[in-house]
Each structure stands twice: as C-alpha cells, then as structure tokens.
Amino acid sequence: MKNTRVYSLCRMALLCAAAIALAVLEGVFAPVLPVGAKAGLSNVIVMLAADTLGLPSALAIVLFKSTFALLTRGTVSAFLSLLGGVSSALLLWALFRYARPLGVLGISIIGAVTHSTAQLFGSYLLYGTAIFAYAPLLLLLSLPSGVITAALLRALSQIMKGNE
C-alpha cells in the first residue's frame, strides 16, 4: 500500500520541476517572439493540475512558477506571472469542471487569452495606458499558444494515463 501523502508530495514536486523546466525552455524562444510574449509551455502543467489534481494544486504550481520568476527575472515578472497564472488557473479549473464540452483546445485557448489579459491589466497598473497598444498582438499570440498547450496537454495526459 503506497503512502498517499508521500505520493502526492512527490507528484507535486515532479510537476513543479516540469513547470520550471518548461519555463526555462521557453527562454529558447524568446529571441523570436515579441518582447514580453511567451510560448506558454509551462502553463501545460498548471492546466494538467487544474484538470486532474484540483484548484489548490494548480495554484501551488502557479505560486512556485512565480517564485521562480522572482528569483530569475525580478519583481515585475513575478507579479505578472502570479497575476496571469492565478487568473488562468481559476478559470481553467472552472472550465474543466463545468464546461468540458469546450474540449481541451477551447479551454486551452480561453486559458491563454485569460493569462494574457490579466498580464495586460497588471502591465496597465505598472505602466499606464500605453501598454494597450500591445494588447492586439499579445492577444493574437494567445491563439497559437493555446493550440500548442492543448496539444502538449493531450500528449502529457496520455503519458500519465499509461503510468497509472
């Protein structure tokens, strides 16, 4: 009989490590994306947690990712990471529970748009209205990001089902 507390802790540690690894991998794409835009790869882990483990786990991963952003990129990045992450995690959790017919693709795109919208709001609080000139591009980039994260989530879910 496995110790469920130890199993849960190990699972969360692995998911946090995967989120950080994917966040680091996103840095590879930074030179080809507009300033401030991210591929959203690490959000796959938040989506997985929101869908399979529940809201507290998803929020814990968001907090972990935001702490990593604080340590590696500073307070503004951490603030925007936390704002976008919490907003999208809350919505993702609700959509996975109550709007499953949207499918993984629809939920992923909505999550990406929510993340970007929350970060735009945070940027507005920090920098003022000039940031809204950037909004169309950032929101447009949410679409391919949502498609990519949906595909990664499907693949990751299949791998995890095979390991149960």
Side-chain angles (χ1 to χ4, degrees):
M1 183 169 148
K2 62 183 162 185
N3 182 334
T4 56
R5 289 184 71 173
V6 171
Y7 178 78
S8 295
L9 181 63
C10 289
R11 180 177 52 197
M12 281 299 293
L14 288 171
L15 289 175
C16 286
I20 297 306
L22 289 169
V24 170
L25 181 62
E26 284 179 335
V28 172
F29 301 109
V32 278
L33 293 174
V35 174
K38 300 267 187 209
L41 300 178
S42 63
N43 294 330
V44 172
I45 305 301
V46 175
M47 289 176 61
L48 179 68
D51 184 26
T52 61
L53 303 177
L55 185 58
S57 294
L59 291 173
I61 293 168
V62 166
L63 183 60
F64 190 81
K65 285 178 40 178
S66 298
T67 302
F68 178 75
L70 175 66
L71 296 173
T72 59
R73 295 189 310 272
T75 55
V76 172
S77 289
F79 171 67
L80 295 176
S81 174
L82 187 63
L83 194 59
V86 168
S87 300
S88 63
L90 289 168
L91 186 61
L92 288 167
W93 175 80
L95 291 173
F96 277 122
R97 296 295 167 276
Y98 305 111
R100 182 66 77 165
L102 289 172
V104 170
L105 180 60
I107 291 171
S108 180
I109 290 172
I110 292 169
V113 169
T114 300
H115 197 279
S116 294
T117 302
Q119 288 188 328
L120 282 167
F121 176 72
S123 296
Y124 162 73
L125 293 175
L126 296 172
Y127 304 113
T129 58
I131 198 69
F132 290 126
Y134 194 52
L137 177 62
L138 192 60
L139 293 172
L140 183 63
L141 289 173
S142 296
L143 297 175
S145 177
V147 170
I148 291 166
T149 55
L152 290 172
L153 179 62
R154 284 188 189 116
L156 188 57
S157 295
Q158 290 301 316
I159 291 168
M160 291 190 67
K161 283 180 186 173
N163 289 331
E164 288 180 356

